[in-house]
């Protein structure tokens, strides 16, 4: 493999990496970050994700494929028990390795797995990983070379080991920046807690307000993962979770849940119809305007408005607007 000209300065690479983490959307960041490595450490394709570990192999939580197709990972499930390279990292905390596939998976036992990796052009592989041995949860990315003769050199492994913590930190920052942009409360809204979790409930980030709200709602919550009832609600009902004390909303992007939590407020008790009418009132529509918009009689709308005022414990539109802002 021909080696392109390297970046002149490692600090330039890292500065660009962290700038990308602040500027790029989450859908673009990982590809852009991986492209920064290629001039220094050439590779053809990559995967970058998180996983938990078990005796039968890794269970993928999140995954970004760079120059790879989803079919590769669908097929991987049948062979993951033979992935001794991944298993060699279990319980280690941190690690970076480069190896030749034919040498690593030699012998009859590993023949099916070697055939698999070679069919997907993974003839030389770099793996770098950071994990918590207490939870068997790991963040990792792998770089693949298709050329069987493009072996992983020790200095390349050393380089990847030195920069990979920056790439994982930059990804975490990119996600938090996205969380801040998408879940910023409206003016006048009450303070919120925020968190990022995957679809299996593992938490990647949460602030102190989110922790406090979850502990108020879910006694004995251990913090490493979302409460199971909350996760099940988002996977089935797919709407705002209204608990006894908290309201939790989410956005689903890149197989991640971007969560916002706040104290419950009076506006949470409005029915969908009442909420629609309340928003129209707040926007300046009269009860006659609303009756025409919703094809209801003015008397029916007046009854709804009285019910709204009773639930919100207000007696005018200004008070209604204040209560709606607490839920926004």
């Amino acid at each position: 493999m021909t080696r392109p000209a390297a970046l002149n300065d490692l600090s330039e690479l890292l500065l660009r990496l962290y700038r990308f983490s602040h500027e790029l959307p989450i859908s673009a960041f990982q590809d852009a970050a991986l492209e920064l490595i290629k001039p220094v450490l050439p590779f053809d394709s990559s995967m970058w994700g998180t996983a938990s570990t078990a005796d039968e192999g890794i269970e993928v939580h999140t995954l970004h494929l760079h120059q790879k197709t989803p079919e590769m990972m669908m097929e991987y499930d049948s062979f993951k028990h033979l992935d001794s390279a991944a298993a060699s990292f279990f319980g280690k905390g941190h690690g970076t390795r480069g190896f030749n596939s034919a040498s690593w998976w030699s012998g009859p036992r590993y023949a099916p797995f070697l055939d698999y990796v070679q069919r997907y052009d993974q003839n030389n592989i770099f793996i770098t990983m950071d994990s918590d041995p207490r939870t068997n949860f790991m963040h990792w990315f792998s770089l693949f070379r298709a050329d069987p003769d493009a072996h992983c050199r020790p200095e390349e492994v050393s380089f990847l080991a030195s920069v990979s913590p920056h790439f994982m930190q930059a990804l975490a920052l990119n996600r938090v920046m996205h969380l801040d942009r998408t879940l910023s409360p409206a003016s006048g809204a009450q303070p919120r807690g925020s968190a990022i979790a995957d679809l299996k409930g593992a938490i990647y980030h949460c602030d102190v307000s989110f922790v406090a709200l979850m502990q108020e709602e879910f006694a004995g919550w251990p913090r490493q993962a979302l409460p199971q009832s909350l996760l099940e609600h988002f996977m089935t009902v797919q709407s705002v979770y209204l608990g006894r004390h908290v309201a939790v909303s989410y956005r689903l992007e890149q197989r991640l849940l971007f969560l916002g939590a706040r104290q419950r407020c009076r506006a949470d008790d409005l029915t969908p119809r009442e909420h629609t009418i309340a928003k129209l009132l707040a926007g300046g529509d009269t009860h006659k305007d609303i009756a025409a918009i919703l094809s209801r009689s003015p008397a029916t709308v007046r009854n709804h408005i009285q019910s709204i005022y009773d639930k919100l414990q207000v007696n005018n539109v200004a008070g209604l607007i204040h209560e709606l802002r607490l839920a926004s």
Side-chain angles (χ1 to χ4, degrees), residues 82-296:
L82 296 173
D83 191 354
S84 56
S88 70
F89 285 96
F90 291 2
K92 297 294 176 62
H94 311 276
T96 303
R97 178 173 292 141
F99 55 90
N100 175 264
S101 299
S103 299
W104 184 274
W105 288 294
S106 60
R109 178 169 182 260
Y110 293 107
F113 194 78
L114 178 60
D115 174 70
Y116 162 75
V117 297
Q118 289 179 333
R119 281 190 288 108
Y120 286 102
D121 293 326
Q122 302 174 23
N123 286 299
N124 287 286
I125 304 174
F126 295 94
I127 301 177
T128 186
M129 176 274 301
D130 178 47
S131 71
D132 184 346
R134 297 171 300 174
T135 61
N136 292 324
F137 187 77
M138 62 168 61
H139 296 250
W140 99 99
F141 61 86
S142 302
L143 309 176
F144 305 120
R145 288 174 171 171
D147 184 352
D149 297 322
H151 295 278
C152 307
R153 299 195 301 274
E155 62 270 24
E156 292 177 319
V157 174
S158 178
F159 168 78
L160 184 60
S162 67
V163 300
S164 62
H166 293 278
F167 277 75
M168 293 177 185
Q169 180 62 32
L171 176 59
L173 290 172
N174 178 254
R175 288 169 171 170
V176 172
M177 291 290 294
H178 181 74
L179 177 66
D180 291 342
R181 292 181 185 124
T182 57
L183 295 178
S184 296
S187 175
Q190 58 182 315
R192 290 175 179 257
S194 60
I196 302 171
D198 64 34
L199 297 181
K200 296 182 184 297
I203 291 177
Y204 296 70
H205 162 82
C206 62
D207 60 25
V208 293
S209 296
F210 187 87
V211 171
L213 288 164
M214 289 298 98
Q215 290 176 337
E216 181 180 5
E217 181 72 21
F218 302 97
W221 178 58
R223 295 180 58 167
Q224 287 91 358
L226 292 179
Q228 189 61 30
S229 59
L230 182 63
L231 182 63
E232 288 175 357
H233 176 88
F234 291 147
M235 295 300 98
T236 55
V237 181
Q238 298 181 347
S239 65
V240 174
Y241 173 88
L242 294 177
R244 292 166 299 163
H245 307 290
V246 305
V248 186
S249 59
Y250 78 98
R251 290 172 62 95
L252 176 61
E253 296 185 54
Q254 301 291 304
R255 295 178 67 177
L256 291 170
L257 297 166
F258 292 83
L259 302 155
R262 57 167 173 79
Q263 289 281 353
R264 277 201 68 153
C265 61
R266 297 186 186 103
D268 292 322
D269 295 326
L270 298 179
T271 67
R273 172 67 72 186
E274 289 171 341
H275 195 268
T276 298
I277 292 172
K279 294 289 283 185
L280 291 169
L281 276 173
D285 289 303
T286 68
H287 78 281
K288 292 183 178 179
D289 295 330
I290 296 170
I293 292 168
L294 300 181
S295 300
R296 297 290 187 271

Side-chain angles (χ1 to χ4, degrees), residues 35-102:
E35 290 292 342
L36 288 177
I37 305 178
K38 284 184 180 179
V40 186
L41 198 165
F43 64 93
D44 300 297
S45 58
S46 173
M47 60 183 183
W48 187 348
T50 56
S52 52
T53 62
D55 292 340
E56 63 273 15
I58 67 171
E59 181 178 4
V60 173
H61 286 229
T62 65
L63 185 66
H64 177 79
L65 296 174
H66 178 79
Q67 303 299 323
K68 286 293 183 189
T69 63
E71 288 75 19
M72 180 189 74
M73 290 307 297
M74 293 171 63
E75 193 173 345
Y76 175 79
D77 228 31
S78 303
F79 299 110
K80 66 182 182 181
H81 63 288
L82 296 173
D83 191 354
S84 56
S88 70
F89 285 96
F90 291 2
K92 297 294 176 62
H94 311 276
T96 303
R97 178 173 292 141
F99 55 90
N100 175 264
S101 299

